[in-house]
């Protein structure tokens, strides 16, 4: 199985901050990497697919980059509604695997 | 707008079979893959498996011996059965649509249903 490792596991940030979350795959997954936002009691929401493509309707302050084994999700200016847990996911090969999550909390 | 809704018992006894259904509305179940994912309390997301509308399946090897995912196109539903459950299977279970566009992604999700395994 391909292991997905996210860092940090949690972070505290203020509204307006630039936030960067990293995800590392245990082997190359080319650009088969998605990012999701998850709020308690809600359905997870697709933010970024294919490492850097913004899902329709997602604000442009979210961006993704990377290929191979190292990937980044960036929120350029953190908004109150962005406090949530973020997960990366590889879809290069089954079993499809997720990172452990990064919880973004209010500072 | 595609919507997914999980349904089924919220409490299952150990050693019994967990059965959940996902009802798809606002779109057809045809021509897509459909998946189940779960999240144990305090833990991350785990992919369980997916099914194509035609019935082709792919399961997580860690659960493969206990999982069956099926589809009923006439009802626009797909289902999950997980046998011989233990407390470790306690989780919020999500259903999701898998969109294949070169890359694959889970673009629509249900709200999730908490299933507790306890006697």
């Amino acid at each position: 199985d391909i292991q997905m490792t996210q860092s940090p596991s949690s972070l505290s940030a203020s509204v307006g901050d630039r936030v960067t979350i990293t995800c590392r795959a245990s082997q190359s997954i080319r650009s088969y990497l998605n990012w999701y936002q998850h709020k308690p009691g809600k359905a997870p929401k697709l933010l970024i697919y294919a490492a850097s493509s913004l899902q329709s309707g997602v604000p442009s302050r979210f961006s993704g980059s990377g290929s191979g084994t190292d990937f980044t999700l960036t929120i350029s200016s953190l908004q109150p509604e962005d406090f949530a847990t973020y997960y990366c996911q590889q879809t290069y090969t089954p079993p499809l695997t997720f990172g452990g999550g990064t919880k973004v909390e209010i500072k | 707008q595609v919507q997914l809704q999980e349904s089924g018992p919220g409490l299952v006894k150990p050693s019994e079979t967990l059965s959940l259904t996902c009802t798809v509305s606002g779109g057809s179940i045809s021509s897509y893959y459909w998946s189940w994912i779960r999240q144990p309390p305090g833990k991350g997301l785990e992919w369980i498996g997916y099914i194509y509308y035609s019935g082709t399946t792919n399961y997580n090897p860690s659960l493969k011996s206990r999982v069956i995912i099926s589809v009923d196109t006439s009802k626009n539903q797909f289902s999950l059965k997980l046998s011989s459950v233990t407390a470790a299977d306690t989780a919020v279970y999500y259903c999701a649509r898998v969109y294949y566009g070169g890359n694959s992604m889970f673009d629509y999700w249900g709200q999730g249903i908490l299933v507790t395994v306890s006697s």
Side-chain angles (χ1 to χ4, degrees):
Chain A
D1 299 5
I2 296 176
Q3 307 302 316
M4 305 301 294
T5 304
Q6 281 183 241
S7 61
S9 56
S10 65
L11 64 89
S12 295
S14 301
V15 173
D17 284 353
R18 182 181 182 90
V19 169
T20 299
I21 299 168
T22 63
C23 178
R24 175 165 288 177
S26 60
Q27 66 182 73
S28 176
I29 57 170
R30 296 167 59 184
S31 294
Y32 290 85
L33 190 284
N34 304 321
W35 289 98
Y36 300 88
Q37 176 192 67
H38 193 197
K39 297 180 181 178
K42 299 286 189 69
K45 177 184 177 182
L46 175 66
L47 299 176
I48 302 287
Y49 63 93
S52 60
S53 295
L54 193 67
Q55 173 68 348
S56 176
V58 174
S60 59
R61 63 181 179 272
F62 290 94
S63 64
S65 64
S67 67
T69 60
D70 295 308
F71 302 87
T72 299
L73 173 70
T74 299
I75 308 172
S76 60
S77 178
L78 197 67
Q79 298 302 300
E81 60 268 30
D82 300 337
F83 292 96
T85 300
Y86 294 84
Y87 292 93
C88 61
Q89 176 206 30
Q90 68 82 17
T91 57
Y92 180 69
T93 188
L96 309 183
T97 46
F98 293 86
T102 296
K103 186 173 184 180
V104 177
E105 298 176 300
I106 301 172
K107 194 171 191 178
Chain B
Q1 178 79 343
V2 174
Q3 293 185 311
L4 292 83
Q5 180 67 58
E6 305 88 351
S7 60
L11 180 64
V12 181
K13 289 183 169 55
S15 80
E16 295 189 344
T17 296
L18 178 160
S19 296
L20 297 175
T21 296
C22 182
T23 300
V24 180
S25 59
S28 173
I29 205 167
S30 297
S31 302
Y32 287 98
Y33 286 81
W34 303 89
S35 190
W36 288 97
I37 305 100
R38 70 180 183 177
Q39 183 175 34
K43 296 187 177 182
L45 298 166
E46 179 182 31
W47 173 70
I48 298 171
Y50 61 62
I51 188 166
Y52 194 45
Y53 79 101
S54 62
T56 303
T57 55
N58 194 320
Y59 300 136
N60 191 324
S62 68
L63 298 167
K64 188 174 182 177
S65 63
R66 299 192 291 128
V67 171
I68 297 175
I69 299 176
S70 58
V71 64
D72 187 337
T73 55
S74 67
K75 295 181 179 179
N76 238 33
Q77 293 177 334
F78 63 106
S79 298
L80 169 70
K81 290 189 185 298
L82 181 65
S83 61
S84 305
V85 297
T86 69
D89 295 309
T90 294
V92 176
Y93 286 76
Y94 297 95
C95 58
R97 189 179 83 167
V98 186
Y99 179 82
Y100 274 96
N103 192 9
S104 61
M105 63 203 80
F106 295 179
D107 61 346
Y108 290 99
W109 295 64
Q111 296 272 48
I113 182 169
L114 174 62
V115 179
T116 301
V117 178
S118 176
S119 55

